[in-house]
Amino acid sequence: MSEVMAIANQKGGVGKTTTTINLSAALAEKGKKVLVVDMDPQGNASSGLGIDKEDLKNLSNPTDDNDTSKANTIYQLLIGECTFDECVQRDVYDNLDLLPANIDLSAIEIESLEMDNRDYILADIIDEVRDDYDFVLIDCPPSLNSLTLNSMTTADSVLVPIQCEYYALEGLDQLMHTIALVRDRLNDKIYINGVVFTMYDGRTNLSMSVIDAVRNSMNQKIYDTIIPRGIRLAEAPSHGMPITKYDRRSIGAKAYLALADEIIEGSES
């Protein structure tokens, strides 16, 4: 049974894309077949997995050095200009496929205005392939728009990254309200998978205070694994690599591998 998980927080800078990249890679390393869906026009999940979002090449035939054709992005897939097989970048890493995105995706708001079932475009696509994967991770944009709604109508659950900073709870109530509205009106199966703390700095009392405040104010599952701040974790995206590939011995790599274990255990229980 596959799990489709939206990784979302309407507050930016919380480690949402970092979690998408590194959790997907950690799950793939543990033998799970994973699809990453980049639904953010910034395309950072794509570039963080080694795809040049500004000059996407077709990786379906990587041994052909003469193949200079451009690959499709999820924008072309959503508006019906290509098929899933024509869009997906297969085996970006072992067991890890990607539906890439770039700035073209920002046009979907206008393109989808007259589409039937405009809030279910992605759901219809993923329903056709979800059985090919153990996990589908959707990197949502940090705003409430048709891309976020499509992500949530597709997802079984939402994983919420929260940074260990002073404004951690800012916007969290709005996210919970949004998920509740989606459940009532668009996708009655969606639930909150859990909360994962990111950007933890053990040198400060603030990080632990934030964790305690969230635990006391939320009646949701909170993962035991806490993602620390780390230089190597911050450097990895600029090299187009998940942390498990960039520096497997780093504290960030160990944390995301531990989070993957918790996710797998939860999906099997």
Side-chain angles (χ1 to χ4, degrees):
M1 185 72 176
S2 62
E3 172 87 7
V4 181
M5 187 185 305
I7 299 180
N9 191 324
Q10 289 169 225
K11 186 176 185 303
V14 300
K16 173 182 59 63
T17 299
T18 298
T19 295
T20 303
I21 293 167
N22 294 304
L23 176 58
S24 65
L27 289 167
E29 281 205 17
K30 291 180 178 295
K32 300 300 181 181
K33 184 66 176 174
V34 182
L35 173 67
V36 171
V37 182
D38 192 346
M39 285 290 276
D40 189 337
Q42 295 179 87
N44 290 336
S46 299
S47 58
L49 288 169
I51 299 299
D52 185 347
K53 62 189 178 185
E54 305 305 330
D55 189 29
L56 277 163
K57 293 291 191 294
N58 192 336
L59 297 186
S60 61
N61 190 13
T63 60
D64 185 358
D65 294 335
N66 296 318
D67 184 3
T68 59
S69 60
K70 289 291 183 71
N72 294 296
T73 69
I74 196 167
Y75 168 69
Q76 283 79 26
L77 180 58
L78 291 172
I79 65 174
E81 288 189 354
C82 71
T83 65
F84 177 88
D85 286 335
E86 291 169 336
C87 177
V88 67
Q89 300 276 347
R90 296 197 184 277
D91 293 322
V92 175
Y93 291 100
D94 288 345
N95 292 323
L96 179 55
D97 295 348
L98 168 70
L99 291 176
N102 59 22
I103 194 61
D104 292 349
L105 186 56
S106 59
I108 197 66
E109 294 281 349
I110 297 173
E111 290 280 358
S112 65
L113 280 176
E114 297 183 1
M115 289 184 179
D116 294 333
N117 295 325
R118 69 188 300 253
D119 293 329
Y120 297 92
I121 305 169
L122 182 63
D124 291 341
I125 293 167
I126 297 301
D127 279 348
E128 295 294 321
V129 301
R130 62 177 292 160
D131 289 343
D132 296 334
Y133 297 94
D134 297 304
F135 292 95
V136 178
L137 270 55
I138 307 173
D139 187 33
C140 299
S143 58
L144 179 58
N145 54 26
S146 66
L147 293 171
T148 304
L149 288 178
N150 263 271
S151 301
M152 290 192 178
T153 57
T154 305
D156 301 313
S157 65
V158 181
L159 178 66
V160 184
I162 297 180
Q163 83 282 27
C164 297
E165 300 288 352
Y166 181 73
Y167 295 108
L169 297 178
E170 186 177 275
L172 197 57
D173 286 343
Q174 180 60 43
L175 176 63
M176 298 304 167
H177 180 63
T178 298
I179 295 170
L181 286 176
V182 170
R183 186 186 302 114
D184 289 342
R185 301 180 184 183
L186 298 169
N187 178 9
D188 60 8
K189 69 183 180 182
I190 196 169
Y191 66 97
I192 298 175
N193 179 288
V195 170
V196 58
F197 290 106
T198 63
M199 304 179 188
Y200 176 78
D201 187 344
R203 299 169 299 177
T204 68
N205 292 327
L206 176 61
S207 288
M208 188 52 66
S209 297
V210 169
I211 291 173
D212 290 340
V214 172
R215 283 178 171 158
N216 290 332
S217 64
M218 290 187 66
N219 184 27
Q220 303 292 341
K221 174 182 173 61
I222 296 177
Y223 282 98
D224 293 332
T225 301
I226 297 174
I227 309 301
R229 285 190 181 276
I231 294 174
R232 305 298 277 174
L233 191 58
E235 289 174 346
S238 66
H239 294 269
M241 300 171 71
I243 188 61
T244 51
K245 301 295 183 185
Y246 183 63
D247 186 351
R248 189 177 181 81
R249 295 176 296 177
S250 67
I251 56 173
K254 293 175 182 178
Y256 275 109
L257 288 166
L259 179 60
D261 284 333
E262 285 197 77
I263 296 285
I264 292 169
E265 180 179 354
S267 70
E268 294 176 347
S269 61

